[in-house]
């Protein structure tokens, strides 16, 4: 019994220590606000969940459609159209991701060098926010564009394959 109590106390104190230092280790990041994975995703034009409003409400993304092309029985024309959307999305998202990385690096540098001022902070955070908004809009608009390319059955199958259950297609009357 004493061993069990000692183990429970040790686990509790370890959990408390972790709760007090959730950022421990992040101070070594090149850009404190971005993980290595986030930097890689931004640089590669990946969505990073930026289009969840679309994805989880029945608007598939081009990347996921291409991954599931065979299971969705996409036609050659559908695949080509979705590939064009995907390529266009990447062409827009990669430069935006690079810009966001640079902006976050600049903000980090201002704090690291203790040169940040209220004015530079306002300008930097406004620039970051604008780029984030444009990047999110970029990903969302390509989700919006895919709906017109799919049949009702493909939309339903996509939702099933992605694990969203049998959700009804939200925009049945808006696409062909």
């Amino acid at each position: 019994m004493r061993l069990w109590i000692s183990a429970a106390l040790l686990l509790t104190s370890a959990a408390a220590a972790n709760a007090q230092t959730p950022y421990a280790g992040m101070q070594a990041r090149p850009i404190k606000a971005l993980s290595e994975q986030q930097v890689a995703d931004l640089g590669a034009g990946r969505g990073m969940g930026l289009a969840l409003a679309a994805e989880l409400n029945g608007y598939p993304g081009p990347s996921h459609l291409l991954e599931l092309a065979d299971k969705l029985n996409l036609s050659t024309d559908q695949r080509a159209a979705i590939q064009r959307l995907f390529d266009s999305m990447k062409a827009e998202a990669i430069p935006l991701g690079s810009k966001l990385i640079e902006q976050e690096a600049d903000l980090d540098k201002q704090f690291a060098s203790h040169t940040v001022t209220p004015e530079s902070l306002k300008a930097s955070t406004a620039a970051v926010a604008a780029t984030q908004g444009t990047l999110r809009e970029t990903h969302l608009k390509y989700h919006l564009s895919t709906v017109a390319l799919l049949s009702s059955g493909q939309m339903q199958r996509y939702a099933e394959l992605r694990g969203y259950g049998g959700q009804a297609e939200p925009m049945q009357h808006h696409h062909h």
Side-chain angles (χ1 to χ4, degrees):
M1 181 73 160
R2 277 194 169 134
L3 184 59
W4 187 85
I5 292 171
S6 295
L9 288 173
L10 181 62
L11 287 174
T12 302
S13 64
N18 282 341
Q20 294 170 4
T21 59
Y23 304 132
M26 291 184 186
Q27 71 277 11
R29 290 178 176 179
I31 303 171
K32 310 302 182 265
L34 299 175
S35 70
E36 285 182 32
Q37 185 63 54
Q38 288 171 313
V39 170
D41 287 347
L42 287 166
R46 290 189 282 271
M48 299 174 37
L50 292 173
L52 285 176
E55 176 70 22
L56 298 177
N57 282 298
Y59 296 82
S63 174
H64 299 304
L65 286 171
L66 293 172
E67 291 167 3
L68 297 170
D70 291 337
K71 292 180 181 178
L72 293 170
N73 295 318
L74 295 181
S75 70
T76 303
D77 289 345
Q78 285 176 310
R79 286 176 197 240
I82 294 166
Q83 185 66 56
R84 284 191 298 275
L85 289 175
F86 178 75
D87 293 343
S88 294
M89 180 191 67
K90 287 281 219 186
E92 287 181 51
I94 289 172
L96 288 167
S98 295
K99 182 177 181 180
L100 184 58
I101 292 166
E102 289 173 17
Q103 291 169 328
E104 287 286 1
D106 177 64
L107 182 59
D108 188 84
K109 182 180 174 186
Q110 289 180 56
F111 276 98
S113 65
H114 302 277
T115 59
V116 66
T117 64
E119 295 79 20
S120 71
L121 177 63
K122 184 173 186 167
S124 293
T125 55
V128 166
T131 303
Q132 287 173 330
T134 303
L135 182 59
R136 186 167 189 212
E137 187 263 338
T138 295
H139 283 283
L140 285 166
K141 76 180 178 184
Y142 285 99
H143 279 251
L144 184 62
S145 298
T146 63
V147 174
L149 300 173
L150 303 173
S151 72
S152 211
Q154 288 170 321
M155 293 285 289
Q156 184 70 28
R157 181 71 178 133
Y158 178 84
E160 292 167 5
L161 290 169
R162 295 285 291 164
Y164 308 145
Q167 76 180 37
E169 178 185 341
M171 302 291 289
Q172 289 179 10
H173 60 283
H174 283 269
H175 74 83
H176 317 287

